[in-house]
Amino acid sequence: MEKIRIIDSKKHVGETVQIGAWIANKRSSGKIAFLQLRDGTAFFQGIVVKAEVSEEVFETAKSLNQETAVMITGEIREDSRSKFGFEIGVTDIEIVGESKDFPITPKEHGTEFLMDNRHLWLRSSKQHAVMQIRNAIIYASYDFFAENGFIKFDSPILSGNAAENTTELFETDYFGQPAFLSQSGQLYLEAGAMALGRVFDFGPVFRAEKSKTRRHLTEFWMMDAEYPFVTHDESLDLQEAYIKALIQGVLDNAAFALDALERDTDLLQKYIDTPFKRVSYDDAITLLQEHEADEDTDYEHLEHGDDFGSPHETWISNFYGVPTFIINYPASFKAFYMKPVPGNPERVLCADLLAPEGYGEIVGGSERETDYDVLRQKIIDFGLDPKDYEWYLDLRKFGSVPHAGFGLGLERMVTFVAGTEHIREAIPFPRLLNRIEP
Ligand code: ATP
Ligand code: MG
């Protein structure tokens, strides 16, 4: 008999098959038992009719506890009443692994309890759906970069010096020397772009974020891309196409997960069909000022030169209703390597992409400074030591070219596409200010 996964049901309608699964829930009467099953690929129903199976099988069905692992034998049937569309008419049940007192019951649980049981919480239908969306985004990302001629180039995670923001660094001991966990692969990726052309990396990065927000993890996965001979405008076009491709990938390959989460897919489709908005930082500040007295706004007043808080970002992206690039931020609160706007050294050629619906910044990117002397001076002005950046400065000595790149926070993207409240649900085992277990 063939062992199948329920996700492949379509090919097996009418056949008797075996499926390894867990009991998510169960309901039974004297004559029939409904097993809510999950086999990792999907949640589905198994029906055990007393009159059609041996007494022993029916007793087993009635005795099954939540999360008991079973090998089910039965016939795959179409089930037009359920969302999933298929069910299994059970003829035999073999218990593979017992389960007693599974701590997460169908009743409501508090967040801390669920987080303490993250290793088990991952089995719930909502968490299952979010992980499926995460997976669809990862695959869509690889597809997009492959189709656009990008080579995967892996940046190191351990580094001997503090590249960007020294306050958010995790330090570790490297054979008696201090070493730091990577906050971004970008600087290394620039070296890659000069060697291989279009490059991307995808890996974990670490930031000692000391504030508790719904959008910050201390360990998250970043997709970074870097490409030579482009300006920032061209980079924005590519970023827009990339984000749309990721949303499309989820619509194509994880529609059932979006459905399980009751995500509004018309809205996601609209983000694909509508051009993203591009607004300069200064125009955004002016817009915020113009609307700050409106009845339905409650953000703080900002002057030109101030940084946005999350209420400002939320308001701006809701105002436009589509993902919005805020371009040309003040140089003072962006990284040292960004190239100034020609004729305006106070502003840099960069953009943050704000997701609509209050999901915050999902991408940060910029055109990089190409001039050796200017870059060296900026390193000094930012209070950094040019000695630590010798290799990076070399890239400006030997055939320096205009180049730009961007970084996407995978979990921010997952949160946005899945429509989940908090970023902690967008990664299997979240690391947060107060949590490094399980
Ligand atoms: P923020 O202002 O939200 O802290 P940032 O300006 O520090 O973001 P970048 O350094 O530009 O972010 O990093 C690139 C991308 O990485 C961001 O657009 C975001 O998607 C993601 N990101 C940044 N910090 C975090 C974090 N702590 N947890 C999860 N994702 C993050
Ligand atoms: Mg930050």
Side-chain angles (χ1 to χ4, degrees):
M1 204 179 319
E2 198 173 350
K3 225 188 263 176
I4 71 157
R5 302 176 318 150
I6 194 71
I7 200 81
D8 300 323
S9 291
K10 216 177 183 160
K11 294 181 283 194
H12 299 281
V13 175
E15 289 174 25
T16 295
V17 297
Q18 286 197 309
I19 301 182
W22 291 263
I23 308 297
N25 207 344
K26 180 198 68 188
R27 208 153 47 82
S28 60
S29 68
K31 291 186 177 146
I32 191 161
F34 297 98
L35 309 178
Q36 301 308 319
L37 298 159
R38 53 172 200 87
D39 75 340
T41 68
F43 287 73
F44 60 104
Q45 181 161 263
I47 296 177
V48 198
V49 179
K50 188 174 181 188
E52 293 171 6
V53 297
S54 71
E55 199 164 313
E56 198 192 333
V57 168
F58 194 70
E59 284 312 306
T60 304
K62 281 197 343 194
S63 74
L64 293 168
N65 291 322
Q66 191 186 352
E67 289 307 316
T68 297
V70 289
M71 185 58 74
I72 295 281
T73 304
E75 187 193 338
I76 299 292
R77 302 193 290 235
E78 274 182 271
D79 169 26
S80 52
R81 283 157 307 168
S82 82
K83 267 188 192 166
F84 182 65
F86 301 94
E87 62 179 22
I88 183 163
V90 179
T91 52
D92 196 14
I93 303 168
E94 179 200 331
I95 292 181
V96 179
E98 294 280 3
S99 164
K100 283 205 182 73
D101 304 324
F102 188 69
I104 305 176
T105 56
K107 69 165 200 203
E108 287 276 313
H109 293 284
T111 304
E112 281 310 298
F113 176 82
L114 292 170
M115 291 284 280
D116 287 342
N117 287 286
R118 181 65 177 165
H119 53 298
L120 304 175
W121 187 24
L122 286 164
R123 301 180 184 196
S124 78
S125 58
K126 181 178 174 207
Q127 301 309 311
H128 178 265
V130 177
M131 289 306 129
Q132 295 278 353
I133 288 170
R134 178 183 171 101
N135 177 64
I137 291 174
I138 294 169
Y139 274 80
S141 184
Y142 278 92
D143 285 347
F144 177 87
F145 285 128
E147 279 159 21
N148 286 280
F150 281 74
I151 290 190
K152 182 147 192 285
F153 178 88
D154 298 307
S155 297
I157 287 173
L158 284 170
S159 191
N161 61 61
E164 279 189 53
N165 179 338
T166 45
T167 58
E168 288 177 2
L169 275 178
F170 283 111
E171 189 176 331
T172 182
D173 172 70
Y174 193 77
F175 307 116
Q177 302 273 345
F180 304 93
L181 298 185
S182 174
Q183 292 179 303
S184 154
Q186 186 211 308
L187 303 191
Y188 292 99
L189 214 52
E190 287 183 53
M194 302 306 146
L196 294 152
R198 299 176 160 208
V199 286
F200 76 104
D201 75 358
F202 174 46
V205 294
F206 306 86
R207 297 187 186 183
E209 307 277 7
K210 304 227 173 53
S211 59
K212 254 177 137 175
T213 77
R214 290 185 294 133
R215 306 278 167 255
H216 289 89
L217 294 160
T218 55
E219 175 182 297
F220 65 97
W221 285 68
M222 182 124 100
M223 318 264 196
D224 262 310
E226 195 73 32
Y227 27 128
F229 301 104
V230 294
T231 62
H232 194 238
D233 264 348
E234 294 168 304
S235 172
L236 291 184
D237 294 340
L238 191 97
Q239 290 175 44
E240 182 167 339
Y242 175 57
I243 297 300
K244 290 182 174 186
L246 298 186
I247 300 174
Q248 189 66 56
V250 176
L251 287 171
D252 290 346
N253 301 310
F256 58 93
L258 293 169
D259 190 46
L261 296 166
E262 296 176 11
R263 182 67 166 120
D264 184 345
T265 49
D266 289 343
L267 215 45
L268 294 178
Q269 190 61 51
K270 175 185 150 191
Y271 303 147
I272 295 175
D273 297 338
T274 317
F276 292 0
K277 194 78 194 164
R278 297 180 189 186
V279 193
S280 77
Y281 160 85
D282 284 295
D283 287 348
I285 292 283
T286 305
L287 183 75
L288 286 165
Q289 290 175 344
E290 283 168 4
H291 287 273
E292 66 190 12
D294 292 2
E295 251 174 48
D296 55 344
T297 59
D298 60 348
Y299 50 78
E300 278 173 37
H301 171 79
L302 291 185
E303 292 293 335
H304 289 263
D306 291 343
D307 202 356
F308 302 122
S310 93
H312 306 101
E313 292 185 347
T314 299
W315 186 86
I316 294 166
S317 65
N318 284 339
F319 182 78
Y320 294 115
V322 288
T324 299
F325 287 109
I326 307 289
I327 60 178
N328 302 352
Y329 278 84
S332 57
F333 49 78
K334 288 291 175 185
F336 70 88
Y337 49 70
M338 296 187 186
K339 196 178 161 87
V341 173
N344 185 2
E346 303 277 295
R347 297 288 181 266
V348 281
L349 292 168
C350 70
D352 285 356
L353 179 63
L354 305 181
E357 304 170 70
Y359 288 101
E361 177 193 328
I362 49 176
V363 182
S366 69
E367 187 168 333
R368 323 303 189 188
E369 180 55 62
T370 49
D371 184 85
Y372 181 90
D373 295 317
V374 174
L375 184 61
R376 192 170 187 285
Q377 190 54 49
K378 267 193 115 174
I379 288 171
I380 295 167
D381 294 345
F382 272 68
L384 303 164
D385 185 351
K387 266 218 201 78
D388 291 338
Y389 295 89
E390 260 166 24
W391 70 264
Y392 185 64
L393 283 161
D394 267 358
L395 305 176
R396 278 70 180 170
K397 269 207 267 187
F398 307 107
S400 189
V401 299
H403 62 290
F406 63 88
L408 166 103
L410 172 65
E411 291 78 12
R412 296 264 181 104
M413 187 67 190
V414 172
T415 307
F416 161 50
V417 177
T420 53
E421 207 25 50
H422 198 293
I423 197 165
R424 65 183 161 231
E425 292 181 42
I427 185 166
F429 293 97
R431 269 73 184 103
L432 297 156
L433 183 58
N434 300 325
R435 181 171 293 277
I436 193 170
E437 304 282 345

